[in-house]
């Protein structure tokens, strides 16, 4: 079977890396891909928003499975178009992807179905939202309704900060039409965890849990980014908690989507805070998380393509998914200045001393001549596994000095709370 992976991040490099190990696969394409996918797959240079050309190309190549990585093409209906063209696709329909592409849709369906989430309200009027904030306790969370590349959420400690975020979303239109509506929520307190699950529209199987780090600097300082590191499993989140989240949140939302006519097929990412009243949903994503995927897939022992096909065929109930008990830690290396301005085109060097089973999953990295240069803010994710988190963490950090480019930056505290 020939597989096409859509996207160009470290998540997609990790997907290509795992798919390349499937016995069912004899050809892999990445679109548009990056320097990392290019080493394992054929990169196809079509822009992600040119969906008609992508579908046509997939048809010409005889693709037997298309895997959609990022949220924007899912929200634009790429899966529906693959389906119309008769090409099996892994990724939810446009209607199902609303769980991510509209935070107000996600809140409404959770409330209708008694799924625990933060208390809050949705507004289409700037003035009403402004007035609402005045009466609320602090901190308070202000979110653009639509897709905002992970940057549409502000956890405001002061009323001024909350009003500033609201103004930027609804008046300055910092995220365009994603700011037509705004969601304002109470701030949940507790430990945060990402639980991804496969869903075939009816049946669900959870993956192993993971944690990610969104702020750019150690100690969760500085602005939010697309993710600076991750690890799996979090020590505080045991098997019983996974069961609780599956029963209280994931199964009910999958059932509600089916009942309301938009069955959810693909990966459902649930961002959760373990509050004193139990787990509550922060957000849903309609896809694999980045950088969670880079630490989850190295722990997956089963054939990912087999799982994806069983999701598409609605046969997930027949699957057994096996996971390694190893721990995995992942550290993102970014360009200096990210998430603000940064340079690109800087050569990346990898020393021969890099340990063999350390993975480098590339993101903003492009081939130039015989070498690789930076081409984005988040340049690569380095992951390592070990029998314990301590071992995994030590391994990843002792290899970081072997990967280098001018101005590179990474956090030194990924998974530190697990080993201290
Ligand atoms: P999102 O873009 O929806 O992933 O949100 C980004 C981050 O904001 C989350 O990972 C949380 O750390 C934080 N966040 C979002 N909603 C809330 C909330 N209601 N309470 C506390 N933190 C939140
Ligand atoms: N790690 C958060 C996300 O993928 O949106």
């Amino acid at each position: 079977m020939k597989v096409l992976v859509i996207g160009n991040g470290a998540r997609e490099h990790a997907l290509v890396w795992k798919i390349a190990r499937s016995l069912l696969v004899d050809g892999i394409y990445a679109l548009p891909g990056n320097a990392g996918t290019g080493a394992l797959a054929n990169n196809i240079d079509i822009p992600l928003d040119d969906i008609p050309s992508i579908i046509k190309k997939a048809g010409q190549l005889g693709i037997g499975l298309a895997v959609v990585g990022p949220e924007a093409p899912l929200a634009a209906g790429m899966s529906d178009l693959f389906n119309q063209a008769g090409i099996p696709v892994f990724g939810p329909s446009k209607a199902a992807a609303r769980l991510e592409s509209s935070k107000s849709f996600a809140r409404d369906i959770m409330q209708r179905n008694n799924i625990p989430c933060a208390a809050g309200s949705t507004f289409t009027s700037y003035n009403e939202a402004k007035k609402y904030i005045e009466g609320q306790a602090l901190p308070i969370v202000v979110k653009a309704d639509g897709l905002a590349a992970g940057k549409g959420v502000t956890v405001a400690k002061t009323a001024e900060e909350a009003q500033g975020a609201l103004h930027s979303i609804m008046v300055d239109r910092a995220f365009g039409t994603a700011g037509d509506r705004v969601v304002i929520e109470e701030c949940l307190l507790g430990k945060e965890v990402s639980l991804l699950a496969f869903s075939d529209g009816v049946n669900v199987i959870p993956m192993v849990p993971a944690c990610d780090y969104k702020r750019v600097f150690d100690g969760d300082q500085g602005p939010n980014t697309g993710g600076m590191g991750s690890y799996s499993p979090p020590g505080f989140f045991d098997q019983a908690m996974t069961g609780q989240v599956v029963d209280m949140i994931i199964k009910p939302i999958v059932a509600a989507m089916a009942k309301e006519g938009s069955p959810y097929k693909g990966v459902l990412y649930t961002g959760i805070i373990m509050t004193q009243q139990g787990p509550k949903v922060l957000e849903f994503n309609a896809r694999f998380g980045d950088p969670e995927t880079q630490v989850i897939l190295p722990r997956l022992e089963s054939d990912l393509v087999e799982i994806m096909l069983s999701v598409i065929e609605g046969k997930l109930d027949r699957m057994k998914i096996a996971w390694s008990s190893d721990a995995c830690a992942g550290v993102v290396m970014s360009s200096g200045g990210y998430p603000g301005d940064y340079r690109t085109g800087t050569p990346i060097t990898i020393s021969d001393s890099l340990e063999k089973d350390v993975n480098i999953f590339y993101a903003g990295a492009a081939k130039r001549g015989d070498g690789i240069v930076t081409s984005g803010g988040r340049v690569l994710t380095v992951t390592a596994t070990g029998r314990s988190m301590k071992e995994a963490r030590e391994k990843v950090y002792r290899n970081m000095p072997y990967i280098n480019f001018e101005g590179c930056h990474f956090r030194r505290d990924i998974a530190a709370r697990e080993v201290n």
Side-chain angles (χ1 to χ4, degrees), residues 117-195:
C117 61
S121 274
T122 301
F123 297 90
T124 49
S125 147
Y126 169 69
N127 285 326
E128 280 174 28
K130 189 165 175 256
K131 220 176 292 156
Y132 177 83
I133 288 176
E134 286 163 10
Q136 297 300 308
L138 295 166
I140 190 159
V141 185
V142 182
K143 306 182 171 187
D145 180 56
L147 297 181
K151 297 174 186 93
V153 175
T154 300
V155 181
K157 293 198 188 70
T158 64
E160 293 69 44
E161 202 186 338
Q163 296 292 3
L166 174 66
H167 196 275
S168 134
I169 293 169
M170 291 197 98
V171 181
D172 305 338
R173 314 290 284 175
F175 310 107
T177 55
D180 286 350
R181 287 164 198 261
V182 72
V183 168
I184 302 177
E185 281 179 1
E186 67 170 327
C187 183
L188 298 175
L189 295 178
K191 288 185 172 145
E192 190 171 339
V193 67
S194 308
L195 188 63

Side-chain angles (χ1 to χ4, degrees), residues 55 72 95 102 109 127 151 165 245 268 276 282 360 384-385 399 415:
I55 307 287
S102 170
I109 193 165
N127 285 326
K151 297 174 186 93
V245 171
L268 180 63
Q276 284 186 335
L282 280 179
I360 302 178
T385 51
N399 279 277

Side-chain angles (χ1 to χ4, degrees), residues 24-324:
L24 303 171
V25 172
D26 62 8
I28 311 181
Y29 297 84
L31 190 156
N34 59 35
T37 63
L40 299 167
N42 300 295
N43 286 346
I44 302 175
D45 192 16
I46 301 178
L48 274 178
D49 56 4
D50 186 358
I51 299 181
S53 301
I54 293 173
I55 307 287
K56 190 168 156 208
K57 186 75 185 177
Q60 287 164 352
L61 292 169
I63 295 299
L65 171 65
V67 179
V68 186
E71 61 274 24
L74 291 168
M78 185 184 270
S79 293
D80 308 66
L81 291 169
F82 271 119
N83 275 321
Q84 279 167 31
I87 299 169
V89 59
F90 184 84
S93 67
K94 179 177 180 165
R98 282 179 298 169
L99 279 182
E100 172 168 12
S101 65
S102 170
K103 292 186 193 291
S104 56
F105 172 83
R107 282 191 64 80
D108 290 348
I109 193 165
M110 282 192 277
Q111 277 169 344
R112 280 198 297 280
N113 292 279
N114 297 315
I115 296 169
C117 61
S121 274
T122 301
F123 297 90
T124 49
S125 147
Y126 169 69
N127 285 326
E128 280 174 28
K130 189 165 175 256
K131 220 176 292 156
Y132 177 83
I133 288 176
E134 286 163 10
Q136 297 300 308
L138 295 166
I140 190 159
V141 185
V142 182
K143 306 182 171 187
D145 180 56
L147 297 181
K151 297 174 186 93
V153 175
T154 300
V155 181
K157 293 198 188 70
T158 64
E160 293 69 44
E161 202 186 338
Q163 296 292 3
L166 174 66
H167 196 275
S168 134
I169 293 169
M170 291 197 98
V171 181
D172 305 338
R173 314 290 284 175
F175 310 107
T177 55
D180 286 350
R181 287 164 198 261
V182 72
V183 168
I184 302 177
E185 281 179 1
E186 67 170 327
C187 183
L188 298 175
L189 295 178
K191 288 185 172 145
E192 190 171 339
V193 67
S194 308
L195 188 63
L196 284 65
F198 295 103
S199 165
D200 67 1
V202 177
N203 307 289
V204 302
I205 301 183
M207 302 189 208
V208 286
C211 286
D212 72 341
Y213 292 78
K214 291 196 166 63
R215 304 291 187 125
V216 70
F217 299 125
D218 286 18
D220 290 331
Q221 301 298 307
N224 268 327
T225 68
M228 294 301 295
S230 53
Y231 64 89
S232 173
F236 69 88
F237 197 80
D238 60 21
Q239 199 99 38
M241 288 177 182
T242 295
Q244 198 186 14
V245 171
V246 168
D247 290 341
M248 290 172 63
I249 296 168
I250 303 179
K251 282 185 176 165
I253 195 76
V254 166
M257 291 297 284
K259 188 180 72 195
E260 300 194 10
S262 314
Y264 192 97
K265 294 177 89 150
V267 169
L268 180 63
Y269 168 129
T270 309
I272 301 145
I273 288 205
M274 298 303 288
T275 72
Q276 284 186 335
Q277 297 90 46
K280 291 192 182 178
V281 176
L282 280 179
E283 59 162 344
F284 289 118
N285 293 322
R287 51 174 173 79
F288 281 100
D290 188 342
E292 287 92 337
T293 303
Q294 294 92 300
V295 294
I296 290 174
L297 291 184
R299 301 189 58 207
L300 176 60
E301 288 174 344
S302 305
D303 185 323
L304 179 59
V305 172
E306 215 180 299
I307 301 170
M308 288 175 162
L309 294 174
S310 80
V311 163
I312 292 171
E313 291 161 10
K315 294 179 178 163
L316 203 50
D317 53 331
R318 299 187 202 167
M319 280 300 302
K320 281 265 175 299
I321 301 183
W323 298 95
S324 154

